Amino acid sequence: DTVDFTDEGDAGDSVIGHGTFVAGVIASSRDCLGIAPDSEIYSLKVFNSQQISHTSWFLDAFNYAMHVGIDVLNLSIGGPDFRDAAFINKVMELSAKGIIFVSAMGNDGPLYGTLNNPADQLDVIGVGGLNYDDEIAE
């Protein structure tokens, strides 16, 4: 099930589907097993159909994650806003409570300042991609 934290009030289908792909890699229990086929997946919608989000939606989703006892939180997002204190502090709070954070780091590096937030935080596992030539994926 999907829990919608946006202003649309309709969990609906994902517009992009990237999180759905990641969930399959993690929890698929069919022909191609995921890395944790017995895991339970929660889908927390924090972007509306126009791909707009607000910090308050993330904070609500993070509080929900704590409430239901989620162990690992994957954020298939990232951005340059490392000054969003409420967001950063909430990530640190969840991490301190034992929730493992995994987040997209972006594929803009390896220059200083090119890691996306929250993957640039010390308590978050940042994930990026390489192509077959060991170059940063596009």
Side-chain angles (χ1 to χ4, degrees):
D1 290 337
T2 298
V3 181
D4 188 349
F5 295 95
T6 71
D7 59 356
E8 293 178 328
D10 173 25
D13 291 331
S14 172
V15 176
I16 295 177
H18 179 76
T20 304
F21 173 79
V22 172
V25 169
I26 294 168
S28 176
S29 61
R30 304 223 174 169
D31 299 332
C32 181
L33 287 181
I35 60 172
D38 294 328
S39 60
E40 187 174 349
I41 298 292
Y42 292 80
S43 178
L44 309 179
K45 185 178 177 185
V46 293
F47 284 88
N48 66 19
S49 58
Q50 286 78 43
Q51 296 305 299
I52 295 170
S53 187
H54 300 283
T55 297
S56 62
W57 297 349
F58 276 97
L59 299 181
D60 289 344
F62 292 166
N63 285 329
Y64 177 84
M66 280 193 296
H67 176 73
V68 299
I70 289 176
D71 297 311
V72 178
L73 192 57
N74 176 68
L75 302 175
S76 296
I77 57 100
D81 194 0
F82 58 89
R83 293 182 181 162
D84 188 342
F87 181 91
I88 290 168
N89 290 337
K90 185 57 76 172
V91 169
M92 290 171 33
E93 177 187 348
L94 270 70
S95 179
K97 292 183 181 284
I99 296 175
I100 298 168
F101 261 86
V102 180
S103 180
M105 70 170 48
N107 295 330
D108 301 320
L111 303 175
Y112 177 78
T114 58
L115 293 181
N116 285 332
N117 183 279
D120 60 352
Q121 291 182 235
L122 293 176
D123 47 357
V124 176
I125 299 169
V127 178
L130 298 174
N131 63 21
Y132 288 108
D133 297 319
D134 285 335
E135 297 168 337
I136 296 172
E138 293 186 27

